[in-house]
Amino acid sequence: MTDLSHLRADFPLLQREMNGRPLVYLDSAATTQKPLAVLEAMDRFYRRHNANVHRGAYALAQEATELYEGARAKVAAFVHAASAREIVFTRGTTSAINTVAFGWGLYHLRPGDRILLTTMEHHANVVPWQLVCRHTGAELIYLPFTADYQIDLEALPGLLDERVKVVGLSGMSNVLGTMPPVTAVAAAARAVGALTVVDAAQMTPHSPTDVQALGADFLAFGAHKMLGPTGIGALWGRLELLESMEPAEGGGEMIRDVGWNESTWADAPHRFEAGTPPIAEAVGFGAAVDYLSAVGMDEVHRHEAELTRYALERLGEVPGLTVYGPADVAQRGGAVSFTLADIHPHDLATILDQQGIAIRAGHHCAKPLHRLLGVPATARASFYVYNTREDVDALLPALAEARRLFGVS
Ligand code: 7TS
């Protein structure tokens, strides 16, 4: 097994105890813990370099601007963007998708147009499109998934025709762990003239991302699911598309000129960054991608795949436990959702919490998907670089305790 256990020492929070037990953190799909390198970079920024960006003529403001723009270059390199200008800093994945929906969708969609999403999308890749449909008269259609929780590629040609203007899909489902063939879907979308928007909230943190090879048009992701701070994320977009888009938010920093009634916009990406941006957070984001690059994204992926395989194996030993997601580890990532007999997932999470284990329970912001699964909620364990086999092992006695308490035979 790839041994990344030495990394744990970099994460102060993982040294904590919870309910008298060493903390076992299995909720990285919700947010990841932060290494010292990120905490220190942000601390150093506020202690030594804090000033507003893009405005000051003085040296300190230039330092802050260089750090902010330097972080953009790091994030661009991390996803292999052709230029740092293709990276828009946003509040997170959600606001990155909204930037596309309200900057492109609102201006280009018309009645009769369609937006094709998958049935496993997070609300962040559903609701912005619903809002845009209300304004434009476009309609949503959905690509189903198969019995093995793969997107149904056989159904794709029947749904994807010239009426479809946008295809939106997540690079990895936060519930099922499914990793759809994004490159193939983007190519099919391109063939009918549709743009592809990839919700990479759960993709970019977990394996190497190459936006140029992917063939999509937009990619949305957030720092906090990849060791960085909350409050910042990125939208990657093809430069010519970004340059043709309208800003979804107006204010300072995003203009070229402002008159009493009309204004003109700055070039991309600043056109989409109205107001004072999250500067320290950008610095933290840059430190996070440096950290992940030093570990190596291939290594990160291998580690998680091994841990996921092990988790599926161990969870398979628990009577009455159902996993929702592909059985084949090659086709899925490290978010493992499950139910245990008829124990409510919230009860499960509470019992595990008493053992110091943090898992998520609920609909994970994917209500339509849970309706299809036929359950109102699932419990979910999710993994990242700092997790170990021991973390997975800790689940077993805790789940046995839940079965005992609820009298599951
Ligand atoms: N898309 C996917 C696939 C996600 O998993 C999430 C967050 C988002 C979008 C939204 O990201 P945000 O940072 O803008 O909120 N997913 C989860 C989760 O699974 N549990 O908590 C947040």
Side-chain angles (χ1 to χ4, degrees):
M1 170 140 186
T2 339
D3 188 11
L4 297 181
S5 54
H6 58 283
L7 299 182
R8 283 181 78 84
D10 296 338
F11 294 80
L13 193 139
L14 296 179
Q15 323 304 322
R16 274 199 68 177
E17 293 199 338
M18 207 50 77
N19 295 321
R21 305 283 187 97
L23 171 67
V24 175
Y25 186 73
L26 293 175
D27 197 17
S28 290
T31 198
T32 58
Q33 299 306 338
K34 319 303 173 198
L36 278 170
V38 168
L39 304 176
E40 286 168 0
M42 294 177 73
D43 183 68
R44 199 162 49 243
F45 175 78
Y46 279 126
R47 285 176 193 270
R48 303 221 9 110
H49 307 292
N50 181 51
N52 211 329
V53 293
H54 301 140
R55 0 189 148 188
Y58 51 92
L60 190 61
Q62 279 161 14
E63 275 177 31
T65 303
E66 274 162 30
L67 284 166
Y68 180 69
E69 292 301 330
R72 191 192 309 277
K74 287 179 186 195
V75 173
F78 190 75
V79 297
H80 203 237
S83 146
R85 292 192 52 213
E86 296 191 329
I87 297 294
V88 178
F89 280 135
T90 63
R91 258 191 314 112
T93 305
T94 302
S95 74
I97 296 171
N98 277 277
T99 300
V100 181
F102 287 93
W104 191 89
L106 193 58
Y107 296 91
H108 290 89
L109 295 170
R110 323 207 129 61
D113 288 346
R114 293 179 158 186
I115 299 166
L116 174 62
L117 305 174
T118 84
T119 49
M120 55 178 82
E121 297 311 305
H122 185 281
H123 296 163
N125 204 21
V126 175
V127 183
W129 300 114
Q130 291 177 343
L131 292 172
V132 161
C133 283
R134 283 219 310 228
H135 287 291
T136 61
E139 65 170 324
L140 286 171
I141 55 170
Y142 288 91
L143 182 67
F145 57 87
T146 63
D148 191 33
Y149 305 99
Q150 302 295 341
I151 63 164
D152 190 350
L153 287 174
E154 282 177 24
L156 190 60
L159 291 168
L160 184 57
D161 57 30
E162 278 72 18
R163 285 174 292 180
V164 175
K165 303 296 183 233
V166 177
V167 173
L169 81 168
S170 62
M172 175 185 138
S173 158
N174 67 319
V175 176
L176 305 173
T178 308
M179 297 189 302
V182 175
T183 311
V185 173
R190 184 157 300 250
V192 299
L195 297 180
T196 302
V197 182
V198 182
D199 172 353
Q202 305 286 354
M203 175 183 124
T204 297
H206 302 292
S207 47
T209 302
D210 182 338
V211 288
Q212 297 183 58
L214 215 51
D217 299 283
F218 296 103
L219 187 93
F221 54 107
H224 74 93
K225 293 188 202 294
M226 46 193 287
L227 309 181
T230 52
I232 190 162
L235 171 68
W236 166 83
R238 290 185 190 285
L239 192 58
E240 68 274 18
L241 274 169
L242 292 177
E243 288 289 15
S244 74
M245 275 164 56
E246 294 291 320
E249 275 193 335
E253 303 246 4
M254 50 73 72
I255 51 87
R256 184 183 306 282
D257 195 16
V258 177
W260 292 119
N261 296 304
E262 295 277 345
S263 299
T264 50
W265 316 138
D267 290 339
H270 298 108
R271 176 184 305 179
F272 306 102
E273 296 178 3
T276 297
I279 310 166
E281 286 78 3
V283 170
F285 196 178
V289 303
D290 281 347
Y291 185 95
L292 286 170
S293 300
V295 175
M297 288 309 292
D298 282 318
E299 201 69 0
V300 169
H301 181 65
R302 194 159 36 238
H303 172 76
E304 279 182 48
E306 284 169 13
L307 215 49
T308 306
R309 180 177 295 108
Y310 183 65
L312 291 175
E313 217 174 273
R314 296 295 327 257
L315 290 174
E317 295 165 11
V318 181
L321 189 142
T322 307
V323 170
Y324 300 86
D328 180 0
V329 179
Q331 314 223 32
R332 59 136 51 243
V336 180
S337 294
F338 58 92
T339 52
L340 181 51
D342 54 4
I343 306 175
H344 195 283
H346 285 143
D347 291 331
L348 263 184
T350 304
I351 293 165
L352 266 59
D353 183 43
Q354 284 158 7
Q355 314 287 322
I357 305 171
I359 62 161
R360 173 127 190 216
H363 53 67
H364 317 297
C365 297
K367 274 195 160 200
L369 168 61
H370 276 80
R371 235 166 261 136
L372 286 179
L373 297 176
V375 287
T378 50
R380 182 187 68 190
S382 55
F383 312 112
Y384 209 29
V385 285
Y386 36 66
N387 289 117
T388 60
R389 278 183 181 232
E390 288 69 36
D391 293 341
V392 174
D393 290 338
L395 282 171
L396 277 291
L399 292 171
E401 172 70 358
R403 294 179 66 244
R404 193 187 63 75
L405 281 171
F406 280 84
V408 175
S409 51

